[in-house]
Amino acid sequence: MTDSRDTASISFTGLYTGEVWYRNGLSPRFLSTRSGAGLYHAMTPFESASRWLGGNNLRVVLVQRHLLMDHLLEQLIREAGVSQVLEIASGMSPRGYRFRKRFPQVTYVETDIPGMAQRKRRELEAAGCLGDRHRVLPLDVFHSDGERALETVVSNNFREGEPLVIITEGLTSYFTLADMEPFWQRLAALGDRFPGSRYLMETYYLPESGVFSATVQRLALLLGRLSDSTVSFHFRNDEEIRSCFGRLGFSGTRVHDPADYYELLPVPRSRRQTLVRIVEGAIG
Ligand SMILES: C[S@@+](CC[C@H](N)C(=O)[O-])C[C@H]1O[C@@H](n2cnc3c(N)ncnc32)[C@H](O)[C@@H]1O
């Protein structure tokens, strides 16, 4: 993949997830969009059929991942005293808005590719939410220098020597493992300047076999076609994640299964195996 690759075709998916957050009471109305609402209505018959037939659907998986990431971020703020957050590919996600309200001491920098970042900035600005501690900036994970590069955004916006939480939600599966590895390696390298940092992302396990597995694969193929990307399943189990992240320079990796949080968090339950895992990589 080259620095010049245009991945804007993926951005519409952020309007759909934005609507899912809104419909689940996780987002203010101003982050819901007309296109997102249209996609939400169009998807409803498939989502309902899939939940009824398979016990799981995209909306369940999305809410599981979002609430679990919120929980882990909250723990890092409350228990490890982290006060700097960089959210990459934040789309229309309300997390920055919600966390800034609850934790005003936190500096929260949201980023996305330019068009989406501009759209988000406009909405948050109109709602009077932006300021010195809450910014929206352009960042492209495939730019390794210039103003959209991870390294530039980090240098210009965060205090060195203090830990940082970096989040990507709903991004990495649109690319192959080979595409993502150089980016993860660059993240891990930030540990020298920001010791004690953490990276939160999600990944999906393909069910081993059967109708459920075939359905998930077909959905992934369809999503790839619609977003002009290579929707990929990168790992088959926790050990593969730990081994990959260790090789790329992370100092430790924990893998969280939403099923382990059913008693603790108001996450919707899957009737079958859970597909999503939240990965918490230690940096530095
Ligand atoms: C499925 S959406 C997820 C949005 C948000 N994180 C959420 O969960 O609601 C994927 C996001 O990735 C962004 N994106 C696409 N290509 C990107 C890139 N090269 N670098 C950073 N973000 C990118 C899109 O604009 C979109 O907002």
Side-chain angles (χ1 to χ4, degrees):
M1 172 156 316
T2 65
D3 272 6
S4 61
R5 175 166 168 183
D6 181 6
T7 60
S9 51
I10 297 169
S11 290
F12 83 91
T13 61
L15 304 180
Y16 180 68
T17 49
E19 192 63 19
V20 173
W21 313 140
Y22 172 63
R23 302 272 170 164
N24 281 276
L26 297 167
S27 188
R29 189 174 184 94
F30 66 83
L31 290 178
S32 142
T33 60
R34 199 175 295 172
S35 316
L39 284 167
Y40 191 90
H41 286 303
M43 285 290 287
T44 294
F46 304 103
E47 292 275 19
S48 305
S50 156
R51 179 77 163 144
W52 189 65
L53 293 170
N56 218 341
N57 65 13
L58 187 56
R59 289 176 191 169
V60 166
V61 171
L62 290 173
V63 176
Q64 286 178 340
R65 96 176 180 208
H66 198 75
L67 291 182
L68 187 42
M69 279 186 169
D70 278 0
H71 171 71
L72 296 172
L73 177 59
E74 181 175 339
Q75 264 190 336
L76 288 166
I77 292 172
R78 284 192 194 281
E79 289 164 27
V82 173
S83 65
Q84 318 191 87
V85 181
L86 170 64
E87 183 155 3
I88 296 172
S90 70
M92 287 291 128
S93 170
R95 182 172 291 116
Y97 166 81
R98 282 193 282 102
F99 271 76
R100 279 283 306 145
K101 273 189 177 290
R102 291 178 62 204
F103 302 103
Q105 79 278 17
V106 167
T107 298
Y108 205 109
V109 179
E110 300 195 34
T111 65
D112 206 299
I113 50 177
M116 198 62 156
Q118 199 179 12
R119 187 169 193 163
K120 182 72 163 293
R121 190 180 316 113
R122 199 174 53 224
E123 299 305 336
L124 287 173
E125 221 156 38
C129 299
L130 296 185
D132 212 33
R133 286 178 183 267
H134 190 182
R135 295 166 221 149
V136 185
L137 299 171
L139 186 156
D140 188 316
V141 295
F142 299 114
H143 282 221
S144 44
D145 51 42
E147 67 145 3
R148 283 184 229 165
L150 164 76
E151 293 77 1
T152 310
V153 172
V154 165
S155 297
N156 291 345
N157 290 280
F158 297 108
R159 297 175 298 278
E160 268 195 39
E162 294 181 30
L164 190 60
V165 179
I166 302 174
I167 302 171
T168 62
E169 178 179 14
L171 175 74
T172 60
S173 299
Y174 288 98
F175 304 101
T176 64
L177 188 58
D179 286 335
M180 287 320 301
E181 283 188 348
F183 172 69
W184 289 335
Q185 205 157 23
R186 287 164 52 211
L187 276 185
L190 292 174
D192 296 340
R193 292 195 288 140
F194 300 90
S197 295
R198 290 282 187 282
Y199 171 49
L200 299 177
M201 67 154 219
E202 95 285 10
T203 193
Y204 305 90
Y205 292 159
L206 191 60
E208 301 241 305
S209 58
V211 181
F212 188 39
S213 175
T215 309
V216 173
Q217 285 189 67
R218 268 200 294 275
L219 271 175
L221 208 65
L222 179 67
L223 190 58
R225 288 223 180 98
L226 291 173
S227 59
D228 191 22
S229 64
T230 320
V231 172
S232 308
F233 295 86
H234 297 149
F235 307 108
R236 280 170 302 184
N237 53 52
D238 298 4
E239 197 35 53
E240 285 188 1
I241 302 173
R242 281 195 277 270
S243 144
C244 172
F245 271 46
R247 187 167 45 76
L248 296 175
F250 286 85
S251 50
T253 310
R254 292 176 67 200
V255 182
H256 303 269
D257 179 345
D260 296 332
Y261 291 82
Y262 283 160
E263 302 303 327
L264 185 68
L265 301 175
V267 285
R269 297 179 181 222
S270 305
R271 276 212 307 277
R272 292 172 186 248
Q273 70 202 92
T274 47
L275 297 181
V276 67
R277 295 292 181 277
I278 306 301
V279 183
E280 180 181 359
I283 299 174

